[in-house]
Amino acid sequence: MRAIAGLWRWRHNPLCRPTDLAEAGVALVGLLMILTVAPLVGALAGGSAQDTLQRSVREQHASRHRVTATVVRPLERAPLTVDPEGASGGDLRSRVLADWTAPDGSRHEAALMASLDDPAPGDRFAIWTDDEGRTVARPLDAETATTHAVLAGIGAAALVAALVEAARRITVRRMVHHRYARLDREWGRAGPDWGRTGADS
């Protein structure tokens, strides 16, 4: 507020050029847009993402079911194909042949990765399946969806703020270039007579 008040008083200063006021006006408009438009866009983007993700959460929870699988026998560990930078040691699991009953009552048997340290026949572990018993990924939970929506809103607001700031900088740079070009033209007209004012020669 102090800067705005100073700008308001400064506009009557005889040293203040119209281009200075124009640059200050561009900066003020940019600041107001960053403070108003960016949060609004962020809120709209976050709200839209929240609606979409929560709908996806409901659909996944309706179509995916947690069932208990039983180890038939352990299998040889498959060759490690996990990205070493993206997985920690706790993410490595045992490969087993397991059977389970689908929500529709059908029986299934397949090789799975189980979160068991030392699997033995008869051990049980939870898996997620669709209605027909095919294994699927764990459904997204509401809290994770909300976190993703908040991050989407923050990202959208930051992007708008960055675009406004970039536009402000480009505008001010063009204004400065125009001012220098005008100064060069005026200097070109006055330059040849510089220092000869009042001389009769």
Side-chain angles (χ1 to χ4, degrees):
M1 292 305 294
R2 186 182 304 167
I4 294 174
L7 176 62
W8 188 255
R9 286 193 303 271
W10 183 51
R11 67 193 173 93
H12 296 299
N13 189 318
L15 297 177
C16 178
R17 300 167 296 192
T19 55
D20 294 330
L21 288 177
E23 289 174 22
V26 169
L28 181 60
V29 169
L31 175 64
L32 292 176
M33 289 184 69
I34 288 173
L35 293 177
T36 57
V37 175
L40 179 63
V41 170
L44 292 174
S48 175
Q50 173 76 341
D51 292 342
T52 302
L53 289 171
Q54 292 300 334
R55 189 178 321 114
S56 178
V57 166
R58 289 190 296 273
E59 290 171 358
Q60 288 184 13
H61 278 275
S63 63
R64 300 181 185 187
H65 311 280
R66 183 177 176 152
V67 299
T68 301
T70 305
V71 175
V72 175
R73 71 174 187 277
L75 298 174
E76 291 287 328
R77 185 182 297 270
L80 187 62
T81 58
V82 180
D83 179 9
E85 295 180 0
S88 63
D91 294 332
L92 300 177
R93 297 178 294 179
S94 304
R95 189 164 173 265
V96 298
L97 180 66
D99 64 0
W100 65 93
T101 302
D104 63 1
S106 59
R107 304 259 318 153
H108 297 268
E109 184 174 284
L112 300 175
M113 297 301 289
S115 54
L116 300 170
D117 291 331
D118 189 19
D123 287 349
R124 296 174 164 291
F125 60 99
I127 60 171
W128 289 89
T129 69
D130 61 11
D131 294 329
E132 288 77 32
R134 294 185 295 263
T135 56
V136 293
R138 178 182 183 147
L140 184 67
D141 60 85
E143 293 78 15
T144 303
T146 299
T147 301
H148 290 325
V150 169
L151 291 175
I154 291 171
L159 178 62
V160 169
L163 290 175
V164 168
E165 177 61 15
R168 183 197 69 80
R169 286 174 181 259
I170 291 170
T171 303
V172 169
R173 181 176 295 163
R174 293 188 67 177
M175 293 171 74
V176 169
H177 284 311
H178 284 307
R179 184 179 8 164
Y180 286 157
R182 189 168 58 248
L183 182 63
D184 285 342
R185 286 193 301 270
E186 292 174 3
W187 181 256
R189 285 196 299 266
D193 294 332
W194 184 258
R196 295 171 50 185
T197 303
D200 292 333
S201 57

